């Protein structure tokens, strides 16, 4: 597991030494399951805390008389910070890996939660959300690198295990808000700082495993995979992947940020009931995120991307016309299908530019957060001028962008 290998087109960027990455999957050592489990649990804890922000929107809206545009700005403050800094963090760690940066970044989330629990002014709420976003910016690029390092060559599987933790954490936010924050109020958010402390301990231990993998060798030259796409084709493919991620993430953002308000406005459900319905969607999202990676390893990432984005289109088109219980069923189908593309998109991008692994991971995680933030703000403004129902009629067509997958190149088998 710890034996260094010579550099090749499959080698991760220096100065990180990867373990037994060979052209054929059968030559790889096997995944380091304990490390994958640790990084997935950390992702779970990280995203559980992050999802609390969106889950307490109804409380903040009522307490401080916020409109939908201001709600969207809270999402933007959190996700724009994460979006802006993730590529910077990834670029820096490509040059000099930081094994303990994950634990340090989690401390920012810890402080953000404490501040959010005591904030009584809108600007303070925005600053607290930005601190949580800063923690996310540090966490995602380097933890994605660790997941690949521990993959044993099963890159899609490792990315799915990593994504599963985050998706499950995101789905837990509404449930915890319904059970704890709604009954006990905004100050109860401080209780979740204990989760951040647990995550800091786990990430510090993972940092101790990661540190011996780092070497100060001179960076190896970048090799071009025989039969691989040209640099121009790679650039086009990256733009297509960004567009596909845009369609997926913006739709998920519309449900994550405003689904509760949609259910309250259209069906008259309570806030707690709305949070349960949101949990159902987010839980399906988590299952889909886990399935996508192994399916991509087996059948090819391009096929999974095709099916997962376009396959959600009939269900998103039907959602605005459905009854309450049919909406719940459709949200499960949408979550299962559309979220299965995340791992395939990220691994596809990593394989297109393997010599800039941290930066590419940061860009795509950052794009996901940025789209979510900008999308939430824009959709909130649109909802203020029209209605929540109109927003879902517009967003229903977003998966049609999946047609752009036709422009993705077919990667050579060794890169998979």
């Amino acid at each position: 597991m710890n034996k260094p290998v010579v550099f090749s087109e499959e080698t991760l960027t220096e100065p990180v030494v990867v373990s037994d990455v060979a052209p054929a999957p059968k030559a790889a050592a096997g995944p380091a399951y304990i490390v994958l489990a640790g990084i997935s649990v950390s992702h779970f804890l990280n995203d559980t805390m992050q999802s609390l922000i969106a889950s307490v929107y109804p409380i903040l809206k009522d307490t401080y008389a916020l409109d939908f545009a201001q709600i969207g700005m809270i999402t933007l403050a959190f996700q724009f910070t994460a979006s802006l800094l993730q590529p910077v963090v990834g670029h820096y760690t490509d040059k000099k890996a930081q094994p303990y940066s994950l634990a340090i970044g989690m401390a920012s989330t810890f402080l953000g939660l404490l501040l959010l629990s005591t904030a009584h002014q809108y600007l303070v709420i925005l600053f607290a959300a930005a601190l949580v976003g800063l923690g996310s910016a540090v966490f995602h690029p380097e933890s994605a690198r660790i997941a690949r390092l521990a993959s044993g060559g099963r890159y899609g599987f490792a990315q799915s295990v990593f994504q599963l933790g985050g998706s499950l954490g995101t789905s837990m936010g509404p449930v915890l808000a319904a059970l704890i924050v709604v009954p006990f109020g905004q100050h109860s958010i401080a209780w979740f700082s204990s989760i951040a402390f647990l995550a800091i301990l786990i990430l510090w231990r993972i940092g101790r495993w990661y540190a011996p993998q780092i070497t100060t060798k001179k960076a190896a030259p970048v090799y071009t995979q025989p039969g691989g796409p040209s640099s121009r084709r790679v650039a086009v493919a990256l733009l297509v992947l960004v567009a596909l991620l845009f369609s997926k993430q913006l739709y998920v953002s519309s449900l994550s940020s405003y689904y509760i308000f949609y259910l309250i406005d259209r069906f008259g459900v309570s806030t707690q009931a709305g949070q349960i319905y949101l949990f159902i969607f987010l839980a399906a999202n988590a299952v889909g995120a886990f399935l996508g990676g192994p399916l991509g390893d087996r059948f090819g990432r391009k096929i999974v991307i095709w099916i997962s984005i376009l396959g959600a289109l009939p269900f998103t088109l039907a959602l605005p016309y459905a009854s309450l219980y049919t909406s719940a069923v459709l949200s499960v189908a949408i979550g299962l299908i559309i979220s299965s593309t995340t791992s395939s998109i990220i691994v596809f991008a990593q394989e297109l530019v393997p010599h800039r692994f941290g930066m590419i991971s940061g860009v795509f995680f950052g794009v996901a957060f940025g789209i979510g933030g900008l999308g939430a703000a824009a959709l909130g403004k649109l909802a203020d001028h029209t209605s929540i129902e109109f927003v879902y009629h517009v967003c229903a067509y977003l998966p049609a962008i999946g047609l752009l997958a036709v422009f993705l190149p077919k990667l050579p088998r060794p890169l998979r």
Side-chain angles (χ1 to χ4, degrees):
M1 177 66 205
N2 294 323
K3 184 173 64 176
V5 296
V6 296
F7 290 96
S8 69
E9 55 273 6
E10 278 294 310
T11 306
L12 298 182
T13 49
E14 282 285 5
V16 180
V17 175
V18 301
S19 56
D20 295 334
V21 178
K26 63 182 180 181
Y33 291 108
I34 294 179
V35 176
L36 288 178
I39 205 67
S40 183
V41 169
S42 300
H43 202 185
F44 168 79
L45 298 175
N46 180 77
D47 285 21
T48 295
M49 293 178 289
Q50 292 175 6
S51 65
L52 285 172
I53 296 177
S55 298
V56 299
Y57 282 170
I59 297 173
L60 297 177
K61 187 176 188 296
D62 292 339
T63 303
Y64 303 105
L66 305 179
D67 56 30
F68 286 122
Q70 289 174 307
I71 292 293
M73 285 300 296
I74 298 174
T75 303
L76 179 60
F78 158 62
Q79 294 187 344
F80 183 72
T81 303
S83 174
L84 184 67
L85 294 181
Q86 282 198 48
V88 176
V89 173
H91 177 71
Y92 179 76
T93 55
D94 277 341
K95 297 179 178 295
K96 186 176 181 181
Q98 303 292 325
Y100 299 105
S101 62
L102 298 177
I104 296 172
M106 189 60 65
S108 177
T109 300
F110 175 82
L111 295 175
L113 288 176
L114 290 178
L115 186 59
L116 183 62
S117 69
T118 59
H120 296 294
Q121 296 180 347
Y122 181 64
L123 289 179
V124 178
I125 293 173
L126 291 178
F127 182 68
L131 279 178
V132 178
L134 176 62
S136 179
V138 176
F139 176 80
H140 284 93
E142 198 70 346
S143 57
R145 188 197 304 274
I146 291 174
R148 187 176 178 95
L149 184 64
S151 69
R154 298 176 62 187
Y155 305 127
F157 168 76
Q159 188 61 224
S160 281
V161 171
F162 174 64
Q163 292 292 336
L164 176 64
S167 298
L168 287 174
T170 300
S171 69
M172 285 302 297
V175 175
L176 294 175
L179 297 177
I180 299 175
V181 182
V182 171
F184 297 101
Q186 180 183 349
H187 293 291
S188 64
I189 297 174
W191 300 349
F192 295 97
S193 61
S194 60
I195 298 178
F197 183 73
L198 175 61
I200 290 172
L201 295 179
I202 295 174
L203 291 172
W204 189 265
R205 184 64 186 88
I206 290 176
R208 291 183 62 188
W209 173 86
Y210 184 29
Q213 317 298 322
I214 300 170
T215 181
T216 57
K217 285 183 180 180
K218 184 179 178 181
V222 176
Y223 295 95
T224 302
Q225 175 72 12
S230 64
S231 58
R232 181 176 179 180
R233 192 80 191 275
V234 167
V236 171
L238 290 174
L239 290 176
V240 169
L241 290 173
V242 168
L244 296 176
L245 189 60
F246 167 84
S247 67
K248 179 262 180 185
Q249 197 64 28
L250 185 56
Y251 189 86
V252 171
S253 178
S254 72
L255 284 178
S256 300
S257 296
Y258 301 111
Y259 192 43
I260 295 175
F261 297 116
Y262 170 76
L263 295 175
I264 293 173
D265 183 66
R266 184 169 182 191
F267 302 110
V269 303
S270 67
T271 298
Q272 285 179 304
Q275 286 166 333
I276 298 302
Y277 280 108
L278 178 58
F279 165 73
I280 292 172
F281 163 72
L282 294 175
N285 211 55
V287 175
F290 175 72
L291 295 177
L295 290 174
D297 285 340
R298 183 174 180 82
F299 300 107
R301 310 194 204 289
K302 186 174 179 179
I303 294 175
V304 172
I305 291 171
W306 264 109
I307 295 174
S308 61
I309 296 183
L310 276 179
L313 184 60
F315 302 101
T316 61
L317 292 173
L319 183 63
Y321 305 97
S323 65
L324 176 61
Y325 298 110
T326 305
S327 295
V329 174
L330 290 173
S331 71
V332 170
I334 292 169
L336 284 172
I337 297 171
I338 202 169
S339 65
S340 63
T341 192
T342 305
S343 297
S344 291
I345 286 178
I346 292 174
V347 176
F348 201 111
Q350 292 168 349
E351 291 173 343
L352 284 169
V353 195
H355 55 290
R356 292 289 183 266
F357 181 82
M359 186 185 71
I360 286 295
S361 300
V363 166
F364 274 80
F365 280 116
V367 165
F369 278 92
I371 290 170
L374 292 172
L379 293 175
K381 200 73 174 176
L382 180 62
D384 284 333
H385 285 85
T386 56
S387 68
I388 286 290
E389 287 191 44
F390 180 76
V391 167
Y392 282 101
H393 280 281
V394 173
C395 290
Y397 293 92
L398 285 172
I401 297 177
L403 290 169
L404 291 175
V406 71
F407 296 106
L408 292 176
K410 182 178 181 181
L411 294 181
R413 179 65 65 177
L415 279 177
R416 290 181 180 174

